Amino acid sequence: MRLLLIEDEEAAARAMEKALRRENYRVDHALDGQAGIDAAFSSPYDLIILDVRLPVKDGWEVCSEFRARGLQVPVLMLTASGATEDRIKGLDLGADDYLTKPFDLGELMARIRALMRRKPLIEDSNIRIDTLELNTRSRTVSRSGNFIRLTAKEYALLECLARGVDTLMNRDTISERVWDAPYDPFSNLIEEYIKRLRKKIDIEGEKPLIHARRREGYILTAKKFA
Ligand code: CA
């Protein structure tokens, strides 16, 4: 489990980091809102702990930017006051839970465990193929650790191919799973999306993973494909 802690108060951050590491979480720490955004979009995290009062960009701005840019990772906000408006604001902006400062570290751990237990969180959320990594919970994709921005449909198509890794997938299956509609042989929608995905995923210096077989369909594989 990899967590990102966005908190500017050093003593508080140190105490949280120590407690989190004791529970075997891997923790990265960002000191202001913008640094937090940069970190969150450059590598996949399982959970983000976000303080509200931060320099450069505050926690509200950070959280709404995450959601506006499609980052689905669970966010636990640390609010300075227990004011109801603050909690509602956080939840409206897409936070999953909040904790009012000052809090007990045991309470923090309990909230994190509760967020991790939520339904889709049960399955292993990481799919790794060669240097490609998908986090199906946050719906984020990286190649050799570099975050790749995809549209919702591009992501859905990639996840569909990745879940069937090493198996040739025909267009009917892809169309049903990604577009929830029967395949239209007169449309080149799938081809078009595959082309876009390849540009983003099979980048220079990396092994090509997405392959086409005429009339049959597509396959995502790191193995030799002819
Ligand atoms: Ca703060």
Side-chain angles (χ1 to χ4, degrees), residues 7-9 51-55 101:
E7 163 68 275
D8 59 316
E9 285 128 85
D51 187 33
V52 168
R53 292 195 188 154
L54 288 170
K101 282 180 167 180

Side-chain angles (χ1 to χ4, degrees), residues 17-209:
E17 271 185 88
K18 215 172 132 192
L20 290 164
R21 294 213 169 99
R22 221 168 21 227
E23 302 279 318
N24 292 319
Y25 294 113
R26 285 165 61 197
V27 189
D28 289 339
H29 177 209
L31 282 155
D32 67 64
Q34 188 57 51
I37 290 171
D38 295 342
F41 283 98
S42 57
S43 33
Y45 289 99
D46 299 293
L47 184 125
I48 295 175
I49 303 168
L50 174 62
D51 187 33
V52 168
R53 292 195 188 154
L54 288 170
V56 191
K57 277 184 182 172
D58 68 27
W60 310 123
E61 292 173 83
V62 173
C63 192
S64 52
E65 190 162 336
F66 284 164
R67 298 320 187 209
R69 288 170 60 185
L71 196 72
Q72 296 297 316
V73 57
V75 171
L76 172 62
M77 287 195 97
L78 307 177
T79 61
S81 80
T84 316
E85 316 83 83
D86 273 13
R87 296 181 214 161
I88 293 170
K89 190 175 174 187
L91 299 174
D92 276 351
L93 290 173
D96 297 271
D97 200 0
Y98 61 87
L99 204 51
T100 305
K101 282 180 167 180
F103 51 82
D104 179 76
L105 285 172
E107 175 70 10
L108 174 70
M109 296 305 153
R111 297 294 182 95
I112 292 172
R113 282 194 297 273
L115 282 173
M116 297 294 194
R117 268 198 308 269
R118 282 193 189 170
K119 209 181 152 247
L121 318 184
I122 292 163
E123 61 174 323
D124 178 16
S125 56
N126 288 315
I127 302 175
R128 281 180 208 88
I129 300 146
D130 188 60
T131 55
L132 176 72
E133 189 166 335
L134 281 83
N135 185 299
T136 59
R137 191 184 312 153
S138 56
R139 299 169 70 85
T140 50
V141 177
S142 61
R143 192 107 207 233
S144 291
N146 297 311
F147 185 82
I148 296 168
R149 258 180 98 174
L150 298 179
T151 65
K153 276 293 169 218
E154 287 166 356
Y155 175 82
L157 175 58
L158 183 66
E159 187 181 317
C160 167
L161 293 171
R163 285 189 183 278
V165 63
D166 300 334
T167 34
L168 191 72
M169 217 168 268
N170 65 36
R171 291 178 180 79
D172 298 290
T173 309
I174 293 173
S175 189
E176 290 291 349
R177 289 193 190 161
V178 179
W179 281 272
D180 207 16
Y183 170 57
D184 171 7
F186 298 104
S187 153
N188 63 352
L189 192 66
I190 298 177
E191 279 66 16
E192 199 44 53
Y193 271 87
I194 290 280
K195 210 188 315 174
R196 289 192 212 172
L197 262 189
R198 278 173 149 173
K199 260 192 212 152
K200 294 184 178 180
I201 303 299
D202 292 341
I203 42 183
E204 189 142 337
E206 298 283 357
K207 182 191 275 181
L209 297 177

